[in-house]
Amino acid sequence: MPTLNDILILLPEFYLVAAACLLLLLDAFMKPAQRPLLHWLSIAVVLVAIYLVIAGQPTEARSAFGGMFLRDGVAETLKVFALATTALVFVYARPYLIDRKLLGGEFYTLMLFAVIGIMLLVSAGNLVTIYLGLELLSLSSYALVALNRDAKLPPEAAIKYFVLGALASGMLLYGMSMVYGASGMGGTPTLDLAQLHNVMSYTTAPTLLLFGLIFMIVGIGFKLGAAPFHMWIPDVYQGAPTPVTTFIASGSKLAAFGMAWRLLDGGMGDLSQHWQLMLAVLAVLSLAIGNLVAIVQTNLKRMLAYSTISHMGYLLLGLAAAGPEGYAAAMFYAICYALMGVAAFGVMLAMSRAGFECEEIADLKGLNQKSPWMAFLMLLAMFSLAGVPPLFGFWAKVLVLEAAIHADMLWLAIVGVVFAIIGLYYYLHVVKVMYFDKPAEGSQLQAQADKPLRVVLSINALSLLALGLYWGPLLGWCRRAFGL
């Protein structure tokens, strides 16, 4: 029976569940002319959720439902930014959804249920809670990808995502079952991450435990989009409606980092000497495949998909350090990537309209002549993604490379620097197309007139410069979350 303490600890999650159900009911009874009201209500719901998370942040870690749900600094930080990126997606998505007649309650409610999944995932203290949060996020994402069912690519992308996602979830669950079994050999079987932390010291089946770890890392690699488990990312990014791609590229990565940290440090911390090398290999593969394949892309969404793979390689550099400094750097990187990704896709959404998706790199030819401000915002996003100083992305890369060096993995940091230089090419190519190419004949480049989108997108992109100049407070927040 849940106690009052349990309910108070999960108040933001309970609130979002109630709000999502209410929005679903309102959508069913609203007249078509009243549907746009759902947009503003959804943004208000997310902003209130951010307030509840910040206002209810405990001074020390607290648990609910017998340790199945944890509320600590890491969870609170990830929740705030996951909710913030969701609010940004809502603002950027409105003109796109209206132009394609997709503005309805299902988009907003599915997004809210996906965010609830993220919040459960990053607060999980138990293998069951991790799987519950992961599936809630995944199932909502599958439906969101297929939202525009009348178009050709979204249903195909959703099927690919669903099949590969189900395979990865099965592998993760198989790994969890092995770890659970190994914990019962020499002790009492447990699903609690805190109790699993020391399982290596007493289990009589270390081989079974290591096999379970390998399968769990496969699941983590898939959710991060790290190579060689990246095969779903390009097709899903290109096929999904752009607002959904924006969410998958930002909020989902925060959730994947939270899941990786909970499982590896919280549950498998005793095995760090084994999973450090596994993560290092995934990082190198992600950096190589992501950066090299991105160079030859002509579709902007596919280019950003391979860019995501390379960025997950940098995030894995921090995780592979297997210490508070590395974890803080990796979380800082995840937050930084979420803000950069939302800004880049936000410019694409601002330039899209009915019949014109603005998703080919060639579509941006002469953007500086047509819309200088939008070209400047995209330039900030591209330079930040490339890691050009003094933008936000530069400091994120520096911190994960520093963490890798401090963890005696200099070779990994050198690989990271080499591929950062290679990655400059495809980001600079986008800037070159915007500023030095002439607009194509009959070019449809024209920014959306939606004022909230333009204002919020400008703040989002300019924050990449502001945070690049003044990144200390955010890093301090991340470091405090890990007790530094």
Side-chain angles (χ1 to χ4, degrees), residues 3 46-48 50 52 74 76 117 120 173 180 184 199 250 252 256 282 309 322 372 391 409 424 453-454:
T3 64
V46 174
L47 293 178
V48 171
I50 293 173
L52 288 175
V74 176
E76 302 305 280
L120 285 175
L173 195 59
Y180 175 71
V199 70
S250 53
S252 293
L282 293 185
I309 296 163
L391 290 161
M409 290 192 289
L424 277 170
L453 184 155
R454 296 172 71 95

Side-chain angles (χ1 to χ4, degrees), residues 101-189:
K101 297 179 174 57
L102 296 174
L103 188 70
E106 57 270 26
F107 172 76
Y108 296 103
T109 49
L110 284 168
M111 286 281 286
L112 288 177
F113 280 120
V115 173
I116 295 164
I118 293 173
M119 294 171 76
L120 285 175
L121 194 51
V122 301
S123 287
N126 188 289
L127 293 177
V128 172
T129 325
I130 283 181
Y131 198 72
L132 182 68
L134 178 64
E135 287 307 291
L136 184 54
L137 169 61
S138 298
L139 292 172
S140 302
S141 300
Y142 303 151
L144 282 165
V145 170
L147 190 69
N148 189 6
R149 55 185 181 274
D150 295 329
K152 180 183 175 183
L153 288 178
E156 180 188 337
I159 289 293
K160 287 179 180 176
Y161 192 16
F162 173 71
V163 171
L164 292 171
L167 179 65
S169 295
M171 287 191 171
L172 181 69
L173 195 59
Y174 189 45
M176 288 178 174
S177 67
M178 286 183 175
V179 169
Y180 175 71
S183 71
M185 294 184 180
T188 306

Side-chain angles (χ1 to χ4, degrees), residues 81 84-85 88 92 332 335-344 373 376-377 380-381 384 390-395 454-472 474:
F81 284 98
T85 53
L88 291 174
Y92 299 164
F332 185 86
I335 292 167
C336 173
Y337 177 72
L339 294 175
M340 295 187 297
V342 170
W373 184 244
F376 175 66
L377 297 183
L380 287 177
S384 190
L391 290 161
F392 194 22
F394 171 74
W395 299 109
R454 296 172 71 95
V455 171
V456 175
L457 178 58
S458 299
I459 294 169
N460 181 188
L462 290 172
S463 72
L464 301 177
L465 178 59
L467 287 168
L469 298 171
Y470 195 61
W471 49 274
L474 178 58

Side-chain angles (χ1 to χ4, degrees), residues 127 179 183 190-200 266-268:
L127 293 177
V179 169
S183 71
T190 181
L191 294 165
D192 188 87
L193 290 174
Q195 294 176 33
L196 284 171
H197 188 82
N198 298 317
V199 70
M200 191 66 178
M268 299 282 102

Side-chain angles (χ1 to χ4, degrees), residues 411-454:
W411 66 274
L412 194 56
I414 292 170
V415 171
V417 171
V418 169
F419 281 108
I421 295 166
I422 292 171
L424 277 170
Y425 172 80
Y426 54 87
Y427 295 118
L428 292 176
H429 176 60
V430 174
V431 175
K432 173 256 179 190
V433 165
M434 292 191 300
Y435 280 87
F436 300 106
D437 287 8
K438 293 181 180 178
E441 281 189 33
S443 171
Q444 300 183 55
L445 274 180
Q446 185 180 349
Q448 288 279 358
D450 190 81
K451 192 170 182 181
L453 184 155
R454 296 172 71 95

Side-chain angles (χ1 to χ4, degrees), residues 60-304:
E60 56 185 27
R62 296 170 67 190
S63 64
F65 295 99
M68 292 187 74
F69 186 91
L70 304 175
R71 195 160 183 190
D72 54 20
V74 176
E76 302 305 280
T77 306
L78 291 172
K79 285 177 192 177
V80 167
F81 284 98
L83 287 164
T85 53
T86 304
L88 291 174
V89 172
F90 283 169
V91 174
Y92 299 164
R94 182 169 171 266
Y96 183 97
L97 297 174
I98 290 172
D99 286 346
R100 289 151 187 80
K101 297 179 174 57
L102 296 174
L103 188 70
E106 57 270 26
F107 172 76
Y108 296 103
T109 49
L110 284 168
M111 286 281 286
L112 288 177
F113 280 120
V115 173
I116 295 164
I118 293 173
M119 294 171 76
L120 285 175
L121 194 51
V122 301
S123 287
N126 188 289
L127 293 177
V128 172
T129 325
I130 283 181
Y131 198 72
L132 182 68
L134 178 64
E135 287 307 291
L136 184 54
L137 169 61
S138 298
L139 292 172
S140 302
S141 300
Y142 303 151
L144 282 165
V145 170
L147 190 69
N148 189 6
R149 55 185 181 274
D150 295 329
K152 180 183 175 183
L153 288 178
E156 180 188 337
I159 289 293
K160 287 179 180 176
Y161 192 16
F162 173 71
V163 171
L164 292 171
L167 179 65
S169 295
M171 287 191 171
L172 181 69
L173 195 59
Y174 189 45
M176 288 178 174
S177 67
M178 286 183 175
V179 169
Y180 175 71
S183 71
M185 294 184 180
T188 306
T190 181
L191 294 165
D192 188 87
L193 290 174
Q195 294 176 33
L196 284 171
H197 188 82
N198 298 317
V199 70
M200 191 66 178
S201 61
Y202 65 78
T203 183
T204 57
T207 306
L208 183 64
L209 190 66
L210 288 173
F211 268 105
L213 174 65
I214 291 168
F215 278 102
M216 287 201 296
I217 285 179
V218 170
I220 291 169
F222 180 89
K223 293 305 172 186
L224 280 170
F229 313 110
H230 65 284
M231 61 291 290
W232 62 276
I233 283 195
D235 290 333
V236 171
Y237 272 42
Q238 184 181 6
T242 308
V244 177
T245 305
T246 309
F247 176 74
I248 292 172
S250 53
S252 293
K253 303 310 174 198
L254 294 169
F257 165 76
M259 179 180 78
W261 179 70
R262 293 285 181 200
L263 275 175
L264 296 178
D265 184 69
M268 299 282 102
D270 251 12
L271 299 174
S272 59
Q273 72 273 22
H274 298 285
W275 56 254
Q276 264 186 294
L277 185 58
M278 295 182 202
L279 294 188
V281 171
L282 293 185
V284 172
L285 288 172
S286 300
L287 290 168
I289 292 172
N291 282 304
L292 294 176
V293 181
I295 289 172
V296 299
Q297 300 303 313
T298 57
N299 182 283
L300 186 55
K301 286 168 84 173
R302 287 187 80 87
M303 189 210 84
L304 288 172

Side-chain angles (χ1 to χ4, degrees), residues 28-47:
F29 292 102
M30 274 182 168
K31 296 175 182 176
Q34 297 172 317
R35 288 267 175 96
L37 183 62
L38 284 171
H39 169 75
W40 303 109
L41 284 173
S42 301
I43 292 173
V45 163
V46 174
L47 293 178

